[in-house]
Structures are given as structure tokens and as C-alpha cells.
Amino acid sequence: MKKIKIIATGSYLPEKILTNDDLSKMVDTNDEWITQRTGIKNRHIADKNQATSDLGVIAAKRCFETYGIEPETIDAIIFATVTPDKLFPSTAIYVQKSLGILNVPAFDISAACSGFIYGLSVAGGLINSTSMKRILVFGGETLSKVTNWEDRSTCVLFGDGVGVAVVEESFDESGIISVYIGADGNMEYLLHQPAGGSRNPATFETVEKKLHTIHMAGNEVYKFAVNTMQMAAEKALELAKITSQDIKWFIPHQANIRIIDTTAKYLKVPKEKVFVNIDKTANTSAGSIPIALDQMNREGLLKKGDLILIDAFGAGFTWGAAVIRW
Ligand code: UT7
């Protein structure tokens, strides 16, 4: 089987920053509660005219420029998101149009916060089963567009941003050593957007009741998040035939600093190996891991040969973890 590797990364966080103090003027909350319960200080918010694909296009352009990638060398575009530009066609289609990478397959993956890891897995499958050589895998959101800004239990948690990775077959030691993805639909109602799809098409009533925004039973989700992220990470480590002691970096989905700390503790990963940027980005769902990878890459934190564990959990529930040799 062909091993695939990430050869380039990019990301984009919108310029507008919303602070905890800003939020305390909008709903009954405060910086202390948000910081203590979530670790979040700031989140980036897309402009009124910016859709998810627009963020993706900037991320991709940055990636192409930095790594000297020619758009015509891309064989497929995969976009992991739950905040597509439109319900159809896919967000990947709009990225394709803007970047001018025409005639290659372009499609979205809906796996919430685990979407980027699902995307890496699908890209590996395509490289192994077709003549495709180089695939763009995006993960990211404009969750601000589906946030209920009157609901303090959710509006403080999310942010906008997109990350991207270019993957291709590896001919050296670098590459994705293991990927483990899964889902359990039994608890879908704990985190979802109730209206806007075919179950509850948009009506005046659904809009009035804000059913097209994020609905989450935070407490319940929290418990599943901690246990599932541990389970997924252990599975990916086992598949890679290594232990958590072998890894240089643990890059968890950035949903809540308490979930990150507890998962790291369960996995026996010391704090200095855990990448955290939730204070600046909040939860960007599918954007979380590729944005982190790009930030670390640009900061020179990822060295060739390093073993990295990425780990995510999200609505569905879905989960995914992977071990990567950089
Ligand atoms: O991306 C993957 C999916 N998402 C997640 O993984 C999120 C998982 N869940 C969480 O991170 C946490 O459950 C939250 C951060 C959402 C909430 O933290 P919590 O410690 O579970 O708080 P809680 O929901 O139990 O609420 C505690 C109190 C409540 O007040 P009472 O009933 O004790 O009087 C809430 O009404 O905090 C109140 N509260 C707030 N207070 C100030 C809820 N939101 C806020 C707020 N500001 N923003």
C-alpha cells in the first residue's frame, strides 16, 4: 500500500477578532467564566461577505506561495466542513472555481470536527486506488454564520478559520503511519443544526426559532469527547505500533482546554508536548487540526522525522486520530 505524506500546509483566520469582553456585552457572560471553563480568550469571525470557501482560497494561496505549488498539479480537492457555502454544490467546487483547478474531482466531507482526519483517510484511499498523485485536503468553517448569538452556552465556544494540507505519495520515511476514524449516530441529537436540511427545511418558523443554529448539550458532549478522544488516540497509536511516549507532539482538536488537558493526562502525554491555540482560535471544528499543523509548521516546531499524534472528536458523534511521521 502507498504511504501518503503532507508536503505543504496553509491556513487562514479572518481578521476580525471577537474577545471575551466583546461577548460579555452581547450575552450574560464574562471573561473569567469563558477562560476557566474553556480556555478561550479570542475567536476570529468571518466578514459578512466571506463564506467558508473564501477562507479556504486564501489558505490555499498562502500554501501554494510558500511551498511553490502549481495549482495545475492538484488532482483532487476535498473540503471537510459543516458550514458549506451552500447546501449544494459543495464548498470544494467554489474553491476549485476560484483557484482555477478545473476538471479534477471536488467534493465535501461532513464529519464535523473530525472532518480533516476523515479527509486525510479519503485522500490516502484515492491515491491508492486511482492515478491521482496530489490532493488538496481542506478543513474549516465559518461557524459564526450558524451561531445563535443570544445563546451564551454556545456562542462563546466557536470561531472561524480554514486550514489546508497538500498530500501525495511518500517515497521516504515521512508519512501517515496510521489513521483510525469512526462514528456513532446514536447521540446525533446532542450536537446538531436542527433545521435547514431535508428533515426540517427552512421556514419562517424554523428561522424564528433559530433552529438553523448550533444546538448542543455541552455537558453530555463533554463526557463523550474526553473518553472518545482517548480511545481514538490509543487506537491510532496501536495501529502505528508505538506508544504515547514515542510521540514528539500531540495535536488535539481544540474544543475546550479541559478536554485537551484531560485527554493528554489519560494518554500520559506531558503538557510540553501538547499543542494548544484554543485561546486564540476557539473551536474551529474541522479547521482545528489543519490550522494547528500550519501554525506549527510555520513556527518551525515540526522537524522531519518527528512523530505526531492528531486526534479529534465531533458532532455525529464522529472521531478520528492519526500518527504522522513528519
Ligand atoms: O467540538 C466538539 C464538540 N464540542 C465540545 O466538545 C464541547 C463540549 N462541552 C464543553 O466544552 C462544556 O460542556 C461547555 C464549555 C460547553 C460548558 O461547560 P460546563 O462546565 O459543562 O458548564 P455547564 O454547561 O454545566 O454550565 C454551568 C453553568 C450553568 O449555570 P447554572 O445552571 O449552574 O446556574 C450555565 O447556565 O454555567 C452557565 N453558563 C454560563 N455562564 C457564563 C453556560 N454558559 C455560560 C457562559 N457564561 N457563556
Side-chain angles (χ1 to χ4, degrees):
M1 199 165 90
K2 292 175 191 168
K3 183 172 66 179
I4 63 160
K5 70 172 172 182
I6 294 173
I7 61 150
T9 58
S11 64
Y12 176 67
L13 296 163
E15 267 139 55
K16 184 182 166 192
I17 291 174
L18 190 69
T19 66
N20 291 348
D21 288 336
D22 293 333
L23 277 161
S24 70
K25 293 178 191 115
M26 296 158 63
V27 287
D28 181 15
T29 191
N30 54 70
D31 177 51
E32 193 191 350
W33 190 97
I34 303 171
T35 307
Q36 278 182 5
R37 300 281 178 134
T38 71
I40 299 165
K41 286 281 189 191
N42 295 327
R43 66 286 292 143
H44 292 252
I45 303 291
D47 192 67
K48 200 166 141 276
N49 303 317
Q50 270 179 324
T52 301
S53 76
D54 300 325
L55 274 49
V57 167
I58 301 174
K61 283 185 175 163
R62 284 182 173 178
C63 168
F64 291 174
E65 260 170 48
T66 310
Y67 295 89
I69 301 225
E70 298 297 335
E72 53 274 17
T73 62
I74 302 295
D75 294 319
I77 303 168
I78 301 174
F79 208 122
T81 187
V82 289
T83 46
D85 288 26
K86 300 179 187 171
L87 279 181
F88 73 89
S90 68
T91 307
I93 287 291
Y94 293 102
V95 167
Q96 182 185 50
K97 183 180 162 192
S98 299
L99 293 176
I101 313 173
L102 300 181
N103 302 321
V104 303
F107 59 95
D108 287 2
I109 287 181
S110 175
C113 310
S114 319
F116 178 73
I117 302 179
Y118 271 60
L120 289 180
S121 184
V122 172
L126 287 172
I127 286 172
N128 270 284
S129 61
T130 70
S131 59
M132 290 176 201
K133 291 194 169 11
R134 191 176 263 190
I135 299 182
L136 264 187
V137 182
F138 290 88
E141 315 282 356
T142 46
L143 288 166
S144 64
K145 313 271 182 166
V146 293
T147 295
N148 178 354
W149 292 104
E150 290 167 7
D151 174 12
R152 70 175 183 173
S153 72
T154 55
C155 75
V156 302
L157 303 174
F158 302 104
D160 298 337
V162 172
V164 65
V166 180
V167 301
E168 63 181 36
E169 185 179 358
S170 171
F171 295 100
D172 62 13
E173 56 156 10
S174 301
I176 299 173
I177 301 173
S178 69
V179 194
Y180 171 65
I181 55 175
D184 177 354
N186 280 311
M187 275 77 64
E188 54 75 28
Y189 57 89
L190 293 177
L191 176 51
H192 64 144
Q193 185 183 323
S198 60
R199 177 73 61 196
N200 281 315
T203 61
F204 286 115
E205 196 194 352
T206 60
V207 172
E208 202 173 55
K209 290 184 172 165
K210 296 195 188 297
L211 294 177
H212 56 287
T213 61
I214 300 167
H215 283 55
M216 178 169 75
N219 259 313
E220 298 296 312
V221 176
Y222 187 98
K223 288 175 219 150
F224 279 102
V226 171
N227 293 329
T228 309
M229 282 184 64
Q230 180 195 2
M231 177 277 291
E234 283 174 347
K235 195 84 185 170
L237 289 168
E238 189 189 314
L239 289 169
K241 299 189 177 62
I242 61 166
T243 71
S244 60
Q245 269 79 65
D246 300 319
I247 62 162
K248 176 79 187 296
W249 286 108
F250 176 46
I251 309 175
H253 169 49
Q254 311 281 315
N256 184 319
I257 192 66
R258 292 182 293 142
I259 296 176
I260 295 171
D261 288 347
T262 310
T263 307
K265 197 174 97 191
Y266 286 173
L267 293 171
K268 299 192 178 63
V269 177
K271 260 196 154 71
E272 59 274 16
K273 288 185 174 182
V274 184
F275 183 76
V276 175
N277 64 359
I278 190 171
D279 51 324
K280 298 177 203 76
T281 63
N283 182 349
T284 57
S285 181
S288 176
I289 304 251
I291 291 168
L293 281 173
D294 184 53
Q295 288 182 349
M296 293 178 79
N297 210 3
R298 274 162 209 273
E299 284 168 30
L301 297 174
L302 304 175
K303 306 267 186 290
K304 194 166 170 64
D306 283 352
L307 283 170
I308 296 158
L309 172 64
I310 57 176
D311 189 13
F313 168 85
F317 294 131
T318 60
W319 55 85
V323 174
I324 302 172
R325 188 179 289 282
W326 201 253

